[in-house]
Amino acid sequence: MEYNKYSTYQDTYSKWLPSIPKSWQYVRLGQFFSERNEKVSDKDYPPLSVTMNGIVPQLETAAKTDAGDNRKKVCKGDFVINSRSDRKGSSGLSTLDGSVSLISIVLKPNGLDGAYIHHLLRSKWFQEEFYRFGKGIVDDLWSTKYSDMKSINIPIPSLNEQQAISTFLDRETTRIDALIEKKQRLIELLKEKRQAVITQAVTKGLDPNVPMKDSGVEWLGEVPEHWDVTRLGWLASSLTYGFTNPMPTEDNGPKMLTANDIGWGYVNYEAARSTSEQAYKRDLTDKSRPKKNDLLITKDGTLGRVALHDGSNACINQSVALLRPISSMAHPKFLATALLASVYQEKMIFDAGGTTIKHIYITRLAKMQVVMPPIGAQSHLVAQLAVVTKRLDSILNKTKSSIQLLKEHRSALITAAVTGQIDVRNLT
């Protein structure tokens, strides 16, 4: 949709926002906001979380501290923003009374439309301005104080115009958010479909007319008559985990793979740290140095992620299990694909041990029952499955791309409206 522009503009002499409508003000934030810096207890004022989606009752996942009696008071209608650079975009107009951590800045607006400032101060333009005024030692972790941010110049139209802009943006962002939600739901359905197809293929095959038999394993149910049910450990010449002692780091040596570097069907070699060539050859045993087509399985962290190693010089630490398939019994690609199926993922999680933090134990993993087609059929099944999943992956990727475009459009629309780059007064 094409939007009209204002008839006349004025220069702001700002690199970041060169011009605004002539009838607007371009003034320091401190003229319309003051800081609320009252210390309170979360026993008297319920704790709130400052999130990318705005201000909400404290999330269960929020880090809890012992500073419950040393928090900042928030009143309904205040704008709250997390001052840390690694929380960029975490802000919003509060609809609740409560308290937030001291790292947050609480602003009391004066004579402004609440919905307008919610959009203005959450816009991409203001986020960049806010963090540009920040200070700190580390490039990706610094903070902005109110004493600095109050000097930021912001565009302010008349109150009636603020309300017109916020009405337009509320309507348009609600519409865009609804589209995004539908597409996200489609992605979830496609992922479920993909998992169902994989599980069907690796436990039942792709021929619906093949004779079946009872697997003898309750959670596997019936399997093709000519397939075998065996333990995972019997399909591998090695099922171990990596080194337990810290390794020296070096920029260009062999990669040190941890659970964080293993994804669902891939290894993120670029993100992995490296060790020295000397330590790789001298200090590591064979179990810590995967070979080509070894399966790497995350046994700590996010459990059960599986990927094939590409054969490059690398080592694994104790958070990663190594499974080396016996070529006469298991095609590596088939086995890796099978272990990503929901039926085995659920079993690995069910068998995981530990009290507060779950771990996959090698001994339990080795005993897990798996259903295997004849070795000659495994590669053919992998090829058939690749055709089906490729179609689903194509739809998934297109849907993800469309969501990203919608988010970019949403962000650009908000910035354009609250900075006066488009005129939406007659669109409400």
Side-chain angles (χ1 to χ4, degrees):
M1 178 179 177
E2 291 290 331
Y3 295 99
N4 292 327
K5 296 181 73 70
Y6 284 79
S7 57
T8 56
Y9 284 82
Q10 59 177 306
D11 291 333
T12 64
Y13 305 101
S14 166
K15 175 181 177 182
W16 314 103
L17 182 59
S19 63
I20 60 172
K22 192 168 185 177
S23 59
W24 289 27
Q25 297 181 69
Y26 189 58
V27 294
R28 290 187 175 188
L29 181 144
Q31 288 185 227
F32 283 93
F33 294 89
S34 58
E35 184 179 21
R36 189 185 299 280
N37 213 11
E38 182 181 345
K39 302 297 194 310
V40 295
S41 168
D42 61 5
K43 299 180 183 66
D44 301 318
Y45 292 86
L48 305 173
S49 286
V50 184
T51 75
M52 296 286 287
N53 295 318
I55 313 305
V56 298
Q58 189 174 65
L59 302 173
E60 289 297 322
T61 55
K64 308 299 190 298
T65 69
D66 296 327
D69 291 327
N70 193 23
R71 295 172 64 81
K72 284 185 180 179
K73 180 180 178 181
V74 175
C75 294
K76 182 178 178 180
D78 287 346
F79 189 89
V80 189
I81 183 169
N82 191 304
S83 67
R84 282 177 38 157
S85 61
D86 62 338
R87 299 291 188 271
K88 185 178 288 188
S90 296
S91 60
L93 191 77
S94 182
T95 60
L96 304 165
D97 293 332
S99 62
V100 292
S101 69
L102 298 182
I103 198 68
S104 297
I105 298 173
V106 183
L107 301 175
K108 297 185 290 182
N110 178 29
L112 298 174
D113 177 68
Y116 173 77
I117 64 169
H118 179 78
H119 289 299
L120 173 66
L121 301 190
R122 282 172 56 84
S123 68
K124 184 70 173 177
W125 168 80
F126 182 79
Q127 287 178 32
E128 295 303 322
E129 279 290 89
F130 178 78
Y131 289 105
R132 192 168 64 85
F133 276 72
K135 297 176 182 177
I137 299 174
V138 184
D139 285 346
D140 60 352
L141 182 57
W142 69 94
S143 61
T144 306
K145 297 180 179 179
Y146 176 72
S147 57
D148 297 314
M149 74 172 292
K150 69 180 182 180
S151 297
I152 298 173
N153 283 324
I154 56 175
I156 301 293
S158 68
L159 186 59
N160 286 340
E161 202 163 347
Q162 292 174 39
Q163 292 167 346
I165 292 171
S166 62
T167 298
F168 167 79
L169 287 177
D170 285 346
R171 184 187 70 227
E172 291 302 304
T173 56
T174 297
R175 182 182 63 82
I176 294 171
D177 289 343
L179 286 174
I180 291 174
E181 187 176 349
K182 286 182 180 179
K183 289 179 180 291
Q184 287 174 333
R185 178 56 184 157
L186 174 60
I187 286 177
E188 293 306 312
L189 292 173
L190 287 168
K191 286 180 177 179
E192 290 174 10
K193 173 68 174 176
R194 192 181 193 279
Q195 269 288 10
V197 168
I198 293 173
T199 298
Q200 174 72 23
V202 300
T203 60
K204 315 290 183 187
L206 294 174
D207 182 358
N209 301 315
V210 70
M212 306 293 283
K213 67 179 180 183
D214 184 2
S215 67
V217 181
E218 183 179 357
W219 54 274
L220 282 175
E222 288 192 331
V223 300
E225 192 174 62
H226 60 295
W227 289 23
D228 292 326
V229 177
T230 186
R231 290 185 175 186
L232 182 61
W234 292 349
L235 300 172
S237 62
S238 179
L239 181 51
T240 58
Y241 58 88
F243 66 84
T244 56
N245 296 320
M247 294 289 290
T249 57
E250 190 170 289
D251 288 343
N252 299 312
K255 292 296 185 179
M256 292 191 298
L257 304 177
T258 70
N260 292 332
D261 305 313
I262 312 301
W264 301 104
Y266 66 92
V267 180
N268 191 350
Y269 294 101
E270 291 185 3
R273 293 182 299 167
S274 299
T275 187
S276 67
E277 190 74 36
Q278 182 182 21
Y280 172 78
K281 292 179 178 178
R282 182 192 64 195
D283 300 338
L284 295 175
T285 63
D286 184 58
K287 75 174 186 177
S288 296
R289 292 182 295 218
K291 298 179 180 179
K292 184 176 176 62
N293 287 330
D294 281 351
L295 272 66
L296 304 181
I297 307 170
T298 56
K299 57 180 285 292
D300 298 315
T302 301
L303 306 181
R305 291 185 294 208
V306 183
L308 287 175
H309 180 52
D310 66 0
S312 60
N313 283 353
C315 55
I316 57 172
N317 75 348
Q318 74 276 11
S319 68
V320 180
L322 178 154
L323 187 150
R324 186 163 293 151
I326 299 172
S327 60
S328 62
M329 300 178 67
H331 187 287
K333 182 66 174 178
F334 176 83
L335 192 54
T337 303
L339 294 182
L340 287 171
S342 57
V343 63
Y344 296 121
Q345 286 288 308
E346 292 167 5
K347 180 60 175 171
M348 282 191 276
I349 300 299
F350 181 80
D351 287 344
T355 51
T356 55
I357 301 176
K358 295 294 184 180
H359 310 274
I360 291 178
Y361 294 118
I362 296 297
T363 52
R364 296 183 188 177
L365 187 62
K367 293 177 182 178
M368 186 174 74
Q369 300 283 351
V370 292
V371 54
M372 296 293 289
I375 185 65
Q378 291 177 28
S379 58
H380 179 63
L381 194 56
V382 167
Q384 288 181 298
L385 189 55
V387 173
V388 179
T389 55
K390 185 178 181 179
R391 289 198 299 266
L392 291 172
D393 288 342
S394 176
I395 301 172
L396 269 169
N397 291 333
K398 288 178 181 177
T399 306
K400 288 177 181 178
S401 295
S402 67
I403 287 176
Q404 183 59 34
L405 289 173
L406 282 170
K407 288 181 176 180
E408 291 172 3
H409 172 66
R410 185 187 193 278
S411 176
L413 185 64
I414 291 171
T415 295
V418 299
T419 59
Q421 306 312 300
I422 58 175
D423 185 355
V424 300
R425 290 174 295 179
N426 295 324
L427 300 177
T428 56

